Amino acid sequence: DGKKILIVEDEPAMQKALYAACDTAGFVCAIARDGEEGLAQALKEKPDLILLDLLMPKMDGMAMLKELRKDTWGAEARVLILTNLSADDSERVKAAVETYPEFYLVKSDWSIENIANKVKELLDA
């Protein structure tokens, strides 16, 4: 159905895997390598969903999300946060959840395929 997904992720292997999974699932994908690039692309392209890594150079995912939420379109944008942080890192998790992401995934708990299925589920909802 040509829904657009922006993958904001700095690890090349993870970028490729997410891109391939979302592409196979029939989504139009774009990649940003850090929060600055992600923010600029998100506001320009207005994707249907943003897959957002938290730990990135230049501008991390939390900073990008805060900036995104200041924009009229960005305030409503759907965001799926991906992180390597464990739930033990509760302060970061709490901060992330308070900025209203659609969903929050700890990368190690999810396979790429499951992430792609979650994306489908969120966009079909």
Side-chain angles (χ1 to χ4, degrees):
D1 60 0
K3 289 204 165 153
K4 282 195 291 193
I5 294 184
L6 175 62
I7 299 163
V8 188
E9 166 67 67
D10 63 320
E11 288 169 43
M14 193 69 180
Q15 275 175 9
K16 282 198 186 85
L18 288 169
Y19 186 97
C22 292
D23 185 55
T24 303
F27 298 112
V28 177
C29 307
I31 287 178
R33 286 174 291 278
D34 59 59
E36 262 176 32
E37 203 178 291
L39 184 64
Q41 272 196 51
L43 296 175
K44 188 171 142 243
E45 306 287 333
K46 301 192 174 20
D48 296 289
L49 181 72
I50 298 168
L51 287 180
L52 180 61
D53 184 32
L54 284 187
L55 300 173
M56 290 182 297
K58 285 194 188 165
M59 179 191 276
D60 71 14
M62 292 311 307
M64 180 190 146
L65 193 55
K66 284 198 176 82
E67 286 304 307
L68 182 71
R69 294 301 187 210
K70 291 177 188 169
D71 178 78
T72 320
W73 172 83
E76 302 292 317
R78 303 177 93 178
V79 178
L80 176 57
I81 288 182
L82 303 172
T83 181
N84 286 320
L85 298 170
S86 67
D88 299 338
D89 202 342
S90 58
E91 281 311 297
R92 292 276 300 205
V93 172
K94 197 164 129 269
V97 175
E98 280 170 2
T99 52
Y100 313 116
E102 290 295 319
F103 206 73
Y104 189 91
L105 299 181
V106 176
K107 285 182 200 166
S108 54
D109 300 344
W110 289 71
S111 72
I112 295 294
E113 201 177 304
N114 287 345
I115 291 174
N117 289 337
K118 188 70 210 174
V119 165
K120 266 196 208 138
E121 199 183 296
L122 284 173
L123 290 175
D124 288 344

